Amino acid sequence: MMKMEVQMDEKKIKQSGAYSVEQINTMVSEVAKKKGITKKNESGLFIGNGDDKDFSNFGRIVLYLVDQEWFLPFVKTWVLYADEETDDMAAYFKKRLGKA
């Protein structure tokens, strides 16, 4: 089963003054919902639907979020879990885009 963990850096968000933590968390949840991922588990991770569209749905979420100016600078933890594999999306994209 695929899962995605997203935790925002509340301190950075508050220091920026551009957004509230609630605004960003709501925007992330809305993006997931629009891309077909509507469930969260008890730990707050977005969880897949258990169907053959999970991979593409999570991929669409990643591609959308990485392009948002309100996301990458403020994300603390962004990990994609696919069966036995774990991908640290925050570290990857911050390094790749020079935003570390």
Side-chain angles (χ1 to χ4, degrees):
M1 168 154 314
M2 292 189 75
K3 298 178 267 187
M4 181 181 288
E5 178 180 5
V6 178
Q7 292 180 350
M8 305 310 293
D9 188 325
E10 293 185 22
K11 184 177 177 183
K12 283 185 182 179
I13 294 169
K14 289 175 184 175
Q15 287 174 342
S16 79
Y19 304 97
S20 72
V21 175
E22 294 78 23
Q23 283 176 308
I24 292 183
N25 286 335
T26 298
M27 290 187 284
V28 170
S29 292
E30 287 298 314
V31 168
K33 184 177 176 182
K34 287 179 184 177
K35 304 301 182 189
I37 302 299
T38 59
K39 298 182 269 183
K40 284 187 174 185
N41 68 11
E42 63 281 349
S43 300
L45 277 68
F46 292 97
I47 57 173
N49 301 311
D51 60 25
D52 59 349
K53 294 181 182 180
D54 281 349
F55 190 80
S56 63
N57 288 344
F58 277 108
R60 292 179 12 204
I61 293 168
V62 168
L63 292 174
Y64 183 86
L65 289 176
V66 77
D67 283 338
Q68 304 311 304
E69 55 95 27
W70 50 264
F71 184 73
L72 205 52
F74 304 115
V75 72
K76 179 166 53 174
T77 304
W78 184 24
V79 179
L80 183 63
Y81 302 94
D83 296 319
E84 300 298 318
E85 291 186 37
T86 302
D87 292 309
D88 186 337
M89 307 307 286
Y92 173 78
F93 282 110
K94 285 180 179 185
K95 181 178 179 182
R96 182 171 178 221
L97 300 173
K99 298 187 180 197

